[in-house]
């Protein structure tokens, strides 16, 4: 079969010749009903019978892989799609650099690989669970469609990881695949594995911030796994990245459109001081300082996902050739890192300092640095919107030590500039740097749905172009 095209004949669309692999096919078909039950229980609340204008992957050709059409979400074609196998791909880094990439799991790295795949897999359904009530308050049908697109694709990403578990990890892989359907975001007894995926996503600004900041962590992790010497993992994650780009687009443009509406309304009303919060809120838009606080929250929660700055696990995974650096194949060094160092920001003797440490143990820090740079690009584009309206305000990423729960800074409190503060100073200032309950209430008060085609809630401007180039009044969701 042609790897570029997807076989839609069976129950599970795929480009991995599932028909020629009866054992895995049977395992996936057994898992399928449980997945659908999970989707019905924990996927978007309501709207399951609505027709949503979604893209479905019909190929893995980067030039044209998606087809748009109206679909009921439970009928979405969740499939198994791997990027084409590169000819003679070599392991790009670590102790095995230059050897042929593995097509089977190397026995000595089995446990490590399984754990990485399970952790990645766990984040995918978690975000669907976090976002399940947002449809009801969608600011437009356009935004509602984007939410559901993100949701069905996160569902597909779960399929992607489950395929790897079922195909390469035998009985314990099947057990893990089952457990991925059992954990629940925010559940006290069986929570999802990572902190940020147990937080609430109660409103649309949170959703946009989440897709901007937290899906971008997903991108960085997938980029690192796309370099893997275990070829099936590399190929799976490479295709996931093409879908992931849309999630970050939803986040960046969502926040950008929110900012634009705020600036427009301030200009119309002749309000020059962005800190005149009461006056700005009277206009039915979200004031810029509150948008900054939301960014502070989501950025800091997401930084925790990178783990400890200095990490033996990360060193081992790199050395083994399992998890690389961001764009490893574009980096110009020995790809072994046994003799080099990397600067790490640490907390030592009551101060935040930068210290050179062995590069192998600093890989989490390095990936986080690449992440911060990637975030900064989007923040700068948001600031361009504010500049256009001549408003004296700039959004800014807080210091990496701010509001952390994992790693070097988890034991201290700092302000947004990274100045260490004591507990009482933190308590006094907290509501100035993180969303207060009043801020949350205000944002929630704006979340009234707008389901008329072409109409948008008060606090957000329409997008510049439609999805699939559709006109402004296109009915992206036909609500049942
Ligand atoms: Fe994902
Ligand atoms: Fe995503």
């Amino acid at each position: 079969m042609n790897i570029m095209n997807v076989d839609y004949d069976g129950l599970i669309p795929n480009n991995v010749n599932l028909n020629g692999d009866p054992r895995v096919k049977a395992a996936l078909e057994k898992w399928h009903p449980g997945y659908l039950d999970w989707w019905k229980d924990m996927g978007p609340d309501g709207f399951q019978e609505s027709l949503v204008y979604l893209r479905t992957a019909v190929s893995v050709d980067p030039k044209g892989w998606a087809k748009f059409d109206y679909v009921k979400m439970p009928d979405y074609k969740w499939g198994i799609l791997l990027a084409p196998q590169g000819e003679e791909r070599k392991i790009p880094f670590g102790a095995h650099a230059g050897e042929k990439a593995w097509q089977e799991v190397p026995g000595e790295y089995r446990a490590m690989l399984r754990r990485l795949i399970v952790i990645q897999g766990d984040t995918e359904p978690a975000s669907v669970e976090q976002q399940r009530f947002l449809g009801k308050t969608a600011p437009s049908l356009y935004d509602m469609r984007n939410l559901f697109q993100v949701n069905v694709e996160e569902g597909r990403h779960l399929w992607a990881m489950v395929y790897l578990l079922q195909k390469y990890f035998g009985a314990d892989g099947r057990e893990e695949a089952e457990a991925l359907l059992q954990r629940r975001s925010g559940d006290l007894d069986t929570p999802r594995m990572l902190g940020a995926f147990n937080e609430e996503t109660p409103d649309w600004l949170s959703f946009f911030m989440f897709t901007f900041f937290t899906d971008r962590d997903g991108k960085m992790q997938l980029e690192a796994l796309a370099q893997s010497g275990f070829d099936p993992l590399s190929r799976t994650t490479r295709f996931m990245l093409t879908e992931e780009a849309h999630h970050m687009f939803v986040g960046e443009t969502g926040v950008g459109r929110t900012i634009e509406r705020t600036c427009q309304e301030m200009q119309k009303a002749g309000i020059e001081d962005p800190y005149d919060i009461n006056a700005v809120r009277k206009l039915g838009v979200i004031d810029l300082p509150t948008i900054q606080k939301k960014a502070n929250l989501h950025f800091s929660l997401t930084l925790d996902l990178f783990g400890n700055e200095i990490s033996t696990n990360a060193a081992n995974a790199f050395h083994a050739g399992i998890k690389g650096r961001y764009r490893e194949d574009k980096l110009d060094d020995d790809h072994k890192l046994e003799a080099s160092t990397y600067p790490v920001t640490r907390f030592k003797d009551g101060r935040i300092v930068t210290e050179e440490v062995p590069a192998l143990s600093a890989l989490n820090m390095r990936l986080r640095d690449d992440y911060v740079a990637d975030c900064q690009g989007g923040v700068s584009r948001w600031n361009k919107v504010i500049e256009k309206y001549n408003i004296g305000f700039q959004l800014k990423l807080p210091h990496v030590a701010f509001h952390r729960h994992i790693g070097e800074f988890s034991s201290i409190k700092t302000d947004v500039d990274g100045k260490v503060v004591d507990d009482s100073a933190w308590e006094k200032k907290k509501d100035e740097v993180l969303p207060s309950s009043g801020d949350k209430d205000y944002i929630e008060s704006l979340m009234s749905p707008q389901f008329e085609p072409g109409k948008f809630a008060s606090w957000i401007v329409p997008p510049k172009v439609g999805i699939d180039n559709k006109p402004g009044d296109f009915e992206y969701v036909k609500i049942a």
Side-chain angles (χ1 to χ4, degrees):
M1 74 189 280
N2 178 355
I3 177 80
M4 288 292 191
N5 294 318
V6 179
D7 171 9
Y8 273 107
D9 290 345
L11 188 57
I12 302 162
N14 71 93
N15 71 343
V16 294
N17 191 19
L18 214 49
N19 278 332
D21 200 345
R23 184 188 64 84
V24 177
K25 188 168 179 243
L28 285 168
E29 284 178 355
K30 201 164 162 229
W31 185 80
H32 190 206
Y35 172 80
L36 284 179
D37 286 345
W38 166 81
W39 177 267
K40 284 179 200 141
D41 286 353
M42 297 309 291
D45 189 42
F47 308 103
Q48 298 280 354
E49 290 302 310
S50 299
L51 286 167
V52 188
Y53 193 68
L54 294 174
R55 70 177 183 189
T56 303
V58 288
S59 149
V60 289
D61 186 337
K63 287 198 241 47
W65 56 271
K67 174 178 140 267
F68 287 85
D69 206 349
Y70 284 107
V71 185
K72 284 185 193 171
M73 284 184 280
D75 300 335
Y76 187 76
K77 295 285 186 190
W78 284 288
I80 313 231
L81 306 166
L82 272 63
Q85 192 171 344
E87 260 167 60
E88 293 295 304
R89 185 169 170 263
K90 300 275 194 303
I91 299 169
F93 60 91
H96 303 280
E99 294 172 22
K100 256 173 82 177
W102 299 298
Q103 298 304 326
E104 294 295 329
V105 176
E108 55 190 312
Y109 305 136
R110 192 173 189 279
M112 183 194 286
L113 253 174
R114 194 185 68 195
R115 173 133 189 101
L116 284 171
I117 291 168
V118 168
I119 292 176
Q120 180 62 43
D122 193 66
T123 65
E124 314 288 358
S127 64
V128 177
E129 293 164 3
Q130 289 169 295
Q131 295 160 14
R132 66 184 295 246
F133 296 113
L134 289 173
K136 298 196 156 131
T137 54
S140 71
L141 293 181
Y142 166 89
D143 289 289
M144 185 193 280
R145 176 261 165 217
N146 285 349
L147 165 72
F148 294 157
Q149 184 72 62
V150 170
N151 291 161
V152 293
E153 285 175 354
E154 300 305 4
R156 205 201 66 73
H157 293 174
L158 172 61
W159 275 89
M161 294 299 109
V162 163
Y163 168 72
L164 294 178
L165 290 169
Q166 306 267 27
K167 177 154 174 76
Y168 297 98
F169 293 88
D172 45 337
R174 284 196 293 281
E175 250 169 61
E176 295 284 14
E178 222 26 74
L180 285 166
L181 295 177
Q182 304 307 326
R183 287 184 288 272
R184 292 285 181 270
S185 175
D187 192 282
L188 288 178
D189 300 318
T190 53
R192 292 292 171 185
M193 296 168 90
L194 303 173
F197 291 90
N198 287 303
E199 299 283 333
E200 286 188 337
T201 313
D203 60 75
W204 277 77
L205 184 56
S206 302
F207 170 64
F208 293 140
M209 290 287 178
F210 185 96
T211 39
F212 181 84
F213 286 110
T214 310
D215 279 71
R216 191 177 308 275
D217 160 71
K219 165 183 157 179
M220 301 310 288
Q221 303 300 335
L222 292 174
E223 289 271 8
L225 295 174
Q227 300 291 336
S228 183
F230 179 49
D231 206 40
L233 177 60
S234 164
R235 291 169 53 205
T236 306
T237 47
R238 268 185 280 146
F239 186 68
M240 289 162 77
L241 279 164
T242 59
E243 293 170 312
E244 206 59 58
H246 177 65
H247 307 182
M248 276 165 295
F249 160 85
V250 169
E252 182 174 329
T253 56
V255 176
R257 289 161 52 213
T258 307
I259 293 170
E260 177 124 32
R261 176 63 86 204
T262 303
C263 295
Q264 271 181 3
E265 292 300 316
M266 284 174 66
Q267 196 176 57
K268 260 198 249 163
I271 298 170
E272 278 173 19
D273 179 6
Y275 295 94
D276 192 349
I277 289 168
N278 290 332
V280 174
R281 288 187 177 180
K282 280 198 189 116
L283 307 171
V285 294
I286 306 174
D287 52 284
L288 299 174
T290 297
I291 293 175
Q292 174 69 64
K293 288 191 227 177
K294 291 292 285 180
N296 291 348
L297 176 68
H298 287 267
F299 180 68
S300 58
L301 287 173
T302 304
L303 291 182
D304 283 339
L305 294 173
F306 289 84
N308 287 315
E309 286 82 346
I310 296 177
S311 158
T312 322
N313 280 345
N316 290 342
F318 184 89
H319 186 72
I322 297 296
K323 185 178 176 186
R325 289 171 292 177
Y326 181 56
R327 303 202 169 147
E328 182 77 42
D329 50 354
K330 306 267 169 4
L331 297 172
D332 187 19
D333 59 23
D334 73 355
H335 301 281
K336 291 184 186 282
L337 305 181
E338 279 153 13
S340 48
T341 63
Y342 189 82
V344 171
T345 330
R346 310 195 65 182
F347 185 65
K348 271 202 153 170
D349 307 321
R351 289 175 46 228
I352 294 172
V353 294
T354 301
E355 196 179 80
E356 289 289 328
V357 309
L360 265 180
S361 55
L363 286 161
N364 285 346
M365 173 80 192
R366 179 172 182 138
L367 194 61
R368 199 187 76 193
D369 282 344
D370 290 326
Y371 167 79
V372 173
D374 209 48
C375 286
Q376 187 54 56
V379 172
S380 302
R381 286 186 288 276
W382 291 339
N383 282 331
K384 289 247 156 60
V385 177
I386 305 176
E387 266 166 43
K388 204 170 76 183
Y389 289 87
N390 276 319
I391 294 168
F393 191 92
Q394 281 213 314
L395 291 159
K396 202 170 130 233
L397 294 173
H399 192 280
V400 292
F402 171 77
H403 188 239
R404 296 297 307 281
H405 299 93
I406 286 177
E408 291 288 324
F409 311 112
S410 54
S411 62
I412 56 166
K413 305 264 192 307
T414 80
D415 65 12
V416 287
D417 300 315
K419 191 172 134 274
V420 181
V421 297
D422 62 26
D423 283 3
S424 76
W426 167 257
E427 284 304 323
K428 256 182 246 149
K429 293 269 182 185
K430 194 171 75 184
D431 283 353
E432 290 170 28
V433 286
L434 289 172
S436 66
S437 57
D439 296 331
K440 289 178 200 162
D441 290 348
Y442 175 67
I443 294 171
E444 266 176 50
S445 77
L446 291 180
M447 297 295 129
S448 40
Q450 180 48 271
F451 293 169
E452 221 179 293
K455 293 262 171 72
F456 287 78
S458 67
W459 54 274
I460 190 165
V461 299
K464 290 204 173 68
V465 274
I467 292 295
D468 194 30
N469 278 317
K470 291 296 173 205
D473 59 354
F474 184 72
E475 193 175 8
Y476 287 99
V477 183
K478 295 185 180 177
I479 296 174

